[in-house]
Amino acid sequence: MTQTDLTFWSMFTGDFNPIHVDSAFAREHSPFGTVVPQGLLAVAIASGLQERLGIFAGTGQAMLGQTITFAAAVVVGDTLRVRLTVRTLTPSRRPGTGRVAFDYAIEVVERGLTAVTGTLDVLCLRREAVQRPSADS
């Protein structure tokens, strides 16, 4: 999370709440003693990290839903990591697609804490399961 990330996100969204952008205000009024980037900025960065995993490239069709729970603040200088865990796979009525439900966690590497948790439901292209030969064959 960089100051540039925070500046661009504020400009893009129009969210210039002083807790996010005014260092003097944040030193006096923030419970963290510093500016705190918008929570959705951490979620947006995590979305980019999820894309870099490559599991949605060419397969992701639509975002169907997402929940977000903020557990801790992310601050400028934090390194974020995202963890995805498949919760359920559900074939769709639409041929060749299915719903993949994930649990996710956005972690702050330096502080060893989970800042954001939630769920993510994605419509993906699917393929039929491949039968692997048994060890006996």
Side-chain angles (χ1 to χ4, degrees), residues 48-68:
L49 294 173
Q50 292 165 11
E51 185 60 32
R52 289 184 195 153
L53 292 172
I55 60 176
F56 300 115
T59 61
Q61 299 294 291
M63 171 80 79
L64 301 174
Q66 182 171 14
T67 65
I68 303 168

Side-chain angles (χ1 to χ4, degrees), residues 41-126:
L41 173 54
V43 174
I45 289 171
S47 177
L49 294 173
Q50 292 165 11
E51 185 60 32
R52 289 184 195 153
L53 292 172
I55 60 176
F56 300 115
T59 61
Q61 299 294 291
M63 171 80 79
L64 301 174
Q66 182 171 14
T67 65
I68 303 168
T69 301
F70 298 102
V74 172
V75 296
V76 171
D78 283 346
T79 301
L80 303 182
R81 170 176 52 212
V82 65
R83 293 190 187 270
L84 286 175
T85 304
V86 175
R87 186 170 19 96
T88 59
L89 300 169
T90 308
S92 175
R93 290 179 297 219
R94 183 174 162 211
T97 64
R99 182 182 197 129
V100 183
F102 296 92
D103 292 319
Y104 71 90
I106 302 169
E107 301 169 347
V108 177
V109 174
E110 296 85 355
R111 293 187 278 148
L113 60 84
T114 299
V116 183
T117 60
T119 61
L120 182 66
D121 293 324
V122 182
L123 182 68
C124 293
L125 294 177
R126 67 179 184 156

